[in-house]
Amino acid sequence: MIDGKRILFSGMQATGTLTLGNYLGALKNWVSLSDEYECFYSVVDLHSITVRQDPAELRKRARNLLTLYIAAGLDPKKNCIYYQSHVSGHAELAWILNCFTYMGELNRMTQFKDKIAKHSDNINAGLYTYPVLMAADILLYQADVVPVGRDQLQHLEITRDIAQRFNGVYGEVFTIPEPYVGKAGARIMSLQDPTKKMSKSDDNLNASIFLMDDRDAIIRKFKRAVTDSEAAVRYRDEQPGIKNLIEIYCACNGRTPEEAEKEFEGRGYGDFKLAVGESVADVLRPVQERFHELIRDKAYIDSVIKENGEKANYYAGKTLRKVQKKVGFPERIR
Ligand code: TRP
């Protein structure tokens, strides 16, 4: 608890460009959480280097992502928005937790298996212990809740196991985190293959809407979205492409699927796709405008980085010192 509020932690990697899926599925919903929770949102750059990165590019993307958090509506006075690499406690706690994690557990991580298949030229130890670093992120802030996508649930599960194991040995050191199950964010699927999640790393550029796409690009991509030959705007599993478009439409304008079905009854897919594209463009425009304003304001962004970095370090340090003492490291002489 911080000031009587429960603690929430989440993070995103600054690799690739954020998609509409990241926005509607995560970011947009985060904004409403800061009243209820003390929120920490990290740009997890330590995680990013498990895959080879261009340094200048990584730095730029990290700053863009941090700025985008704010542009999307997260108030940096209420939410601690910071770079993971500015808080050395993440790496320090990760080392300690490595010694409380079994190789057998890490071997079972499905994301690790996927990643070594994809990056077979660079199967490094960081890729392997990635879930331990993620556990450190969460436990360092004593987070109660963690909003994550389905693909990260296994990592949250191992975080809980590690925390429980540690507490079993040393007493109640860590809060055991739960996945955040509030009003679930929309799960946005690829526009080219509605059975797959929309991804920032899709090779087909028509599959994903990027947060910075302009209106024309957005409308063009929706025009090309894969649908079916039913010629009916209906919200049902048999029409996954249309179902996905309805979800997107509703996430943008607050309508229910039934209302959308009614609105487009008897009308063609062309009309519908245009309407979806327009509502997406309308939702993204203010975020884009705000982003362009903020990214120019170097002094302001720097002040956010500095102040929130200090705040994160403060809370991280409290947990880290406790853990160091528990495992038997000597106290510092002042
Ligand atoms: N692994 C997460 C992802 O790729 C990002 C992440 C790192 C994270 N640390 C975290 C998410 C802690 C939630 C909590 O999406």
Side-chain angles (χ1 to χ4, degrees):
M1 289 273 210
I2 296 175
D3 296 338
K5 278 184 180 170
R6 303 218 302 152
I7 300 166
L8 179 151
F9 185 96
S10 197
M12 272 195 201
Q13 287 205 46
T15 34
T17 334
L18 291 197
T19 68
L20 182 66
N22 300 120
Y23 181 68
L24 295 178
L27 214 45
K28 182 167 173 271
N29 309 299
W30 289 1
V31 174
S32 57
L33 297 173
S34 68
D35 292 329
E36 192 177 348
Y37 297 97
E38 185 71 32
C39 300
F40 292 85
Y41 295 113
S42 187
V43 173
V44 291
D45 44 5
L46 299 186
H47 282 89
S48 295
I49 63 163
T50 52
V51 175
R52 208 58 80 225
Q53 303 288 340
D54 175 76
E57 189 63 23
L58 177 61
R59 207 174 345 262
K60 184 170 159 213
R61 284 189 168 154
R63 193 171 176 102
N64 284 351
L65 178 57
L66 186 133
T67 305
L68 205 49
Y69 279 176
I70 307 170
L74 292 176
D75 177 352
K77 289 255 181 272
K78 291 195 196 146
N79 300 272
C80 188
I81 298 171
Y82 75 98
Y83 293 129
Q84 185 185 29
S85 61
H86 284 187
V87 181
S88 60
H90 287 262
E92 294 179 69
L93 182 60
W95 171 255
I96 295 172
L97 297 182
N98 265 321
C99 303
F100 292 82
T101 306
Y102 296 112
M103 290 178 66
E105 290 177 295
L106 294 175
N107 290 338
R108 286 198 294 274
M109 296 291 118
T110 54
Q111 193 174 63
F112 173 64
K113 293 184 210 168
D114 292 348
K115 282 198 181 165
I116 59 174
K118 209 167 154 192
H119 304 282
S120 55
D121 56 330
N122 179 18
I123 305 178
N124 62 73
L127 216 47
Y128 187 58
T129 57
Y130 181 112
V132 184
L133 179 58
M134 186 161 155
D137 299 341
I138 297 167
L139 301 178
L140 198 52
Y141 298 93
Q142 305 287 355
D144 296 280
V145 289
V146 182
V148 282
R150 264 187 238 183
D151 58 328
Q152 296 297 317
L153 279 176
Q154 198 183 28
H155 291 161
L156 192 57
E157 206 44 56
I158 196 176
T159 300
R160 291 165 53 87
D161 291 342
I162 296 169
Q164 264 150 357
R165 185 170 307 136
F166 194 96
N167 286 356
V169 180
Y170 300 106
E172 297 302 300
V173 178
F174 294 124
T175 302
I176 309 298
E178 310 264 347
Y180 174 76
V181 282
K183 64 172 167 27
R187 186 172 152 88
I188 307 299
M189 312 305 277
S190 156
L191 298 186
Q192 292 295 314
D193 176 359
T195 61
K196 264 186 9 197
K197 192 174 142 180
M198 185 181 284
S199 158
K200 41 187 177 182
S201 48
D202 204 308
D203 294 328
N204 185 342
L205 293 178
N206 284 319
S208 310
I209 302 289
F210 297 105
L211 237 53
M212 289 297 149
D213 279 350
D214 63 29
R215 194 176 187 87
D216 289 349
I218 294 171
I219 289 175
R220 187 177 64 237
K221 287 183 192 178
F222 277 106
K223 258 190 205 153
R224 293 185 185 158
V226 167
T227 51
D228 51 57
S229 51
E230 301 277 326
V233 177
R234 296 270 309 279
Y235 187 76
R236 51 192 205 120
D237 292 339
E238 292 78 4
Q239 295 175 249
I242 290 294
K243 187 176 178 202
N244 186 38
L245 296 185
I246 294 179
E247 296 246 353
I248 294 172
Y249 187 64
C250 294
C252 287
N253 56 28
R255 288 190 182 60
T256 64
E258 298 72 50
E259 286 166 349
E261 283 180 342
K262 218 172 257 156
E263 187 180 349
F264 292 96
E265 208 178 318
R267 292 166 65 187
Y269 284 172
D271 269 11
F272 176 55
K273 285 175 167 182
L274 181 64
V276 181
E278 283 178 339
S279 41
V280 168
D282 288 344
V283 163
L284 294 187
R285 196 193 329 109
V287 178
Q288 295 172 348
E289 284 172 2
R290 183 107 180 93
F291 173 83
H292 290 302
E293 253 167 54
L294 285 165
I295 201 81
R296 269 186 260 123
D297 195 346
K298 185 167 182 310
Y300 171 69
I301 297 297
D302 283 349
S303 74
V304 168
I305 291 170
K306 180 162 183 293
E307 281 163 32
N308 280 321
E310 284 166 2
K311 178 174 169 186
N313 264 298
Y314 170 78
Y315 289 106
K318 289 219 285 195
T319 302
L320 189 63
R321 280 191 296 278
K322 198 161 154 191
V323 170
Q324 289 170 330
K325 193 167 166 194
K326 289 284 185 187
V327 299
F329 296 165
E331 263 188 79
R332 283 163 212 236
I333 318 288
R334 300 187 183 276

